[in-house]
Amino acid sequence: MQKRICPPVSTTSAASAALREYAGSLRPVRATGNCKITYQDQQDKDVTQSFGVRLWFESSDRYCLYGDVMFDPKGMSFAVNNGKYWVYAKMFNVYLKGDIDKNSRNYISNPAVFLDFLNPLDSGCNSVDMAASAGIHDILICRGISSCGQKRIFMDRCDHFVRKIEYYSCSDSPVLTVELDDYKKLAEAENLVFPRKLTYSYYQGQICVDRREIKLNSVKLWRPGEKQIEALFTPPEADILENLEIK
């Protein structure tokens, strides 16, 4: 197979325009697949669990994911809904909720970064600069209102898809790396392309302590109805959360 050779994007504005063109083509989709999580338990031993997932995306301001764990189809779930979010993790005995801050550096518990690659210039990008190109990628560096912390967007030179985003703390330590692969067109909308493999690596210092790999076997257009929206984006019932650690 011949190696692709494409010229780099020469300016920040050209790279930003390419990313915004992709974001502008987005339409509501629903997807199904599987997730594999590898994390360290209290004894610092690696634990791996796999489960089915379902994803609904209406817009960059409203999407959710449900994972079937511990015989509960909503046992690992979260939703981002017009400026607010909630996270429910039955296996970890945790429920989180709060307001979305697009300039927040809280990448660990805030699910707003989950689909950040679809519209990466929408959050944490008060200033955008070009970095030196790396291999087949052009790199954009985003900084928020504060100069500390940043995210680096790796854009494929040939197709202009986001292939990786690296998130860094104010001390310039890696916090989260998101890798995207296996982009495919939707059968119902050939102008819409969506990655089928999503990999999230969470770090403490230089050590990866949590890795989540999602493989989507089906991505289709979605026509959200009012009742379905209400069902999907309503937080878990109070009785389910009765014995959880509320934060």
Side-chain angles (χ1 to χ4, degrees):
M1 184 176 181
Q2 188 175 4
K3 186 177 180 180
R4 298 178 306 161
I5 300 177
C6 299
V9 175
S10 57
T11 65
T12 300
S13 58
S16 299
L19 293 177
R20 294 192 188 282
E21 181 180 0
Y22 176 81
S25 71
L26 293 173
R27 295 165 63 184
V29 299
R30 56 185 174 87
T32 59
N34 292 281
C35 178
K36 181 172 71 173
I37 294 181
T38 302
Y39 60 93
Q40 292 182 334
D41 62 13
Q42 294 180 346
Q43 286 75 43
D44 293 330
K45 293 182 179 179
D46 287 341
V47 178
T48 299
Q49 294 194 11
S50 299
F51 49 89
V53 292
R54 294 163 293 149
L55 167 68
W56 288 268
F57 169 85
E58 185 193 50
S59 68
S60 295
D61 293 320
R62 179 183 276 172
Y63 53 86
C64 62
L65 179 140
Y66 286 92
D68 190 349
V69 300
M70 299 178 70
F71 305 104
D72 184 345
K74 297 182 178 181
M76 176 75 76
S77 55
F78 72 80
V80 170
N81 188 11
N82 293 327
K84 296 185 179 296
Y85 75 90
W86 55 263
V87 178
Y88 171 41
K90 188 174 184 177
M91 70 172 69
F92 300 119
N93 199 41
V94 167
Y95 174 61
L96 307 169
K97 61 180 179 179
D99 295 324
I100 296 294
D101 179 358
K102 291 187 176 181
N103 286 299
S104 172
R105 297 297 169 185
N106 180 14
Y107 303 125
I108 298 298
S109 61
N110 191 335
V113 301
F114 179 68
L115 296 183
D116 190 34
F117 61 87
L118 295 177
N119 192 7
L121 300 181
D122 186 47
S123 61
C125 287
N126 291 82
S127 66
V128 183
D129 300 299
M130 292 285 292
S133 298
I136 62 171
H137 299 113
D138 290 308
I139 304 173
L140 287 174
I141 297 180
C142 287
R143 295 180 176 86
I145 296 175
S146 170
S147 61
C148 74
Q150 62 177 242
K151 68 178 179 181
R152 301 171 189 173
I153 304 168
F154 291 72
M155 185 179 73
D156 191 297
R157 284 183 183 173
C158 293
D159 55 31
H160 295 166
F161 297 151
V162 175
R163 298 291 176 173
K164 181 169 67 171
I165 301 181
E166 297 176 342
Y167 299 83
Y168 289 84
S169 67
C170 290
S171 61
D172 204 30
S173 296
V175 179
L176 167 64
T177 297
V178 181
E179 299 174 82
L180 301 314
D181 199 3
D182 196 17
Y183 277 85
K184 291 181 180 178
K185 293 181 178 180
L186 273 67
E188 314 102 311
E190 293 190 358
N191 65 327
L192 177 56
V193 182
F194 203 93
R196 299 306 201 269
K197 183 178 179 181
L198 322 174
T199 304
Y200 302 82
S201 301
Y202 296 84
Y203 292 85
Q204 288 183 1
Q206 301 294 324
I207 300 175
C208 179
V209 296
D210 188 319
R211 182 179 175 87
R212 308 174 190 186
E213 182 180 288
I214 296 176
K215 292 184 178 180
L216 301 173
N217 50 45
S218 174
V219 182
K220 297 181 179 181
L221 291 182
W222 173 44
R223 295 182 179 179
E226 185 176 339
K227 290 185 177 179
Q228 189 177 28
I229 288 291
E230 182 180 359
L232 288 172
F233 293 93
T234 299
E237 297 295 333
D239 58 344
I240 296 177
L241 306 174
E242 187 175 18
N243 297 317
L244 293 185
E245 179 185 357
I246 308 298
K247 297 184 178 180

